[in-house]
Amino acid sequence: GESVGLHLPTLSVQEGDNSIINCAYSNSASDYFIWYKQESGKGPQFIIDIRSNMDKRQGQRVTVLLNKTVKHLSLQIAATQPGDSAVYFCAESPGHYGGSQGNLIFGKGTKLSVKP
Amino acid sequence: DVKVTQSSRYLVKRTGEKVFLECVQDMDHENMFWYRQDPGLGLRLIYFSYDVKMKEKGDIPEGYSVSREKKERFSLILESASTNQTSMYLCAVIPNTGELFFGEGSRLTVL
């Protein structure tokens, strides 16, 4: 079946270090991937997305890498700050519901803790 | 960015009560979604809507219904709340740019 999962449920890093959060997906037909950040008591917040015709995309302090060969997605956060502490979700879009991006399949989440 | 407002952040209801969760967007986007979020299970799609008066079942529609009478408002209804519907409910909107914008969530406890 289809699944989106995360290799590590928790990640603890030192402030200033780089963080890498990994995600595996199983549907080779998925063509759109998103990373979300969810702080305690808040709704998920869009961070960055990538389409399957790309293997890398950069934002402000974040980079998403897509390896379609092994169906792997990663989120890299440079110079991690205390404000980056949150749960991070990956999501894939297998295109079930008429191509709408709302039919996302979400991973369970990785909790990132940043130590000062 | 789209602003998605869920009017009730915290609710406590009793088993068998009818529950309305309201979601309002500040733009004119067609696509709106309701998810529930549970520890260990992640986000699961309950219902979504492509336009006024249109609705489609998601992955876990049982025990829920929805209403979309106006484009900016998408309501989730629990006709007879049960304890297994205790959860965090998240409304989301997709603008033309493609990414999903979420509200702050409604945490429902059913006693």
Side-chain angles (χ1 to χ4, degrees):
Chain A
E2 299 166 9
S3 66
V4 175
L6 295 172
H7 294 310
L8 298 173
T10 59
L11 178 65
S12 183
V13 300
Q14 204 70 38
E15 182 179 359
D17 288 350
N18 296 333
S19 302
I20 300 176
I21 302 172
N22 296 304
C23 177
Y25 66 95
S26 60
N27 189 339
S28 57
S30 292
D31 60 359
Y32 181 60
F33 305 87
I34 306 177
W35 279 102
Y36 285 93
K37 172 186 180 182
Q38 188 173 21
E39 296 175 86
S40 180
K42 296 185 177 181
Q45 178 184 7
F46 172 90
I47 302 174
I48 192 168
D49 59 358
I50 189 168
R51 296 198 178 272
S52 58
N53 60 352
M54 303 172 68
D55 53 19
K56 181 179 180 179
R57 191 167 186 216
Q58 288 184 293
Q60 187 178 11
R61 281 201 307 119
V62 295
T63 300
V64 55
L65 299 176
L66 176 62
N67 186 331
K68 294 181 287 293
T69 303
V70 294
K71 299 190 189 71
H72 186 267
L73 190 70
S74 69
L75 176 70
Q76 299 178 1
I77 305 173
T80 312
Q81 301 168 1
D84 294 327
S85 293
V87 175
Y88 290 81
F89 301 93
C90 64
E92 65 173 308
S93 177
H96 283 165
Y97 302 116
S100 164
Q101 302 300 346
N103 61 325
L104 296 172
I105 297 174
F106 290 87
K108 303 294 189 291
T110 290
K111 183 176 182 180
L112 175 66
S113 295
V114 182
K115 295 177 288 186
Chain B
D1 290 350
V2 181
K3 184 176 180 182
V4 182
T5 302
Q6 294 181 233
S7 53
S8 301
R9 292 295 310 276
Y10 301 94
L11 302 95
V12 179
K13 298 291 181 180
R14 295 198 177 276
T15 300
E17 282 192 83
K18 190 169 186 176
V19 182
F20 290 90
L21 299 179
E22 298 286 333
C23 175
V24 178
Q25 57 161 315
D26 66 344
M27 306 285 274
D28 201 33
H29 303 300
E30 280 101 13
N31 302 330
M32 298 186 74
F33 304 82
W34 275 106
Y35 290 86
R36 64 178 284 176
Q37 183 178 35
D38 301 287
L41 297 176
L43 285 152
R44 293 179 291 167
L45 182 62
I46 305 172
Y47 265 99
F48 59 102
S49 170
Y50 286 137
D51 207 341
V52 175
K53 296 193 185 296
M54 292 182 66
K55 60 182 180 183
E56 296 287 342
K57 293 180 180 179
D59 299 317
I60 51 163
E62 296 79 19
Y64 303 94
S65 63
V66 290
S67 173
R68 185 99 181 265
E69 296 297 318
K70 293 183 179 180
K71 203 165 200 176
E72 69 271 17
R73 189 179 297 269
F74 189 36
S75 302
L76 180 69
I77 303 158
L78 288 67
E79 292 289 341
S80 178
S82 62
T83 54
N84 63 11
Q85 291 179 309
T86 290
S87 186
M88 167 73 95
Y89 291 89
L90 290 160
C91 176
V93 173
I94 292 182
N96 293 335
T97 45
E99 64 266 33
L100 205 61
F101 285 96
F102 287 90
E104 293 293 351
S106 298
R107 185 167 291 283
L108 172 67
T109 301
V110 183
L111 303 175

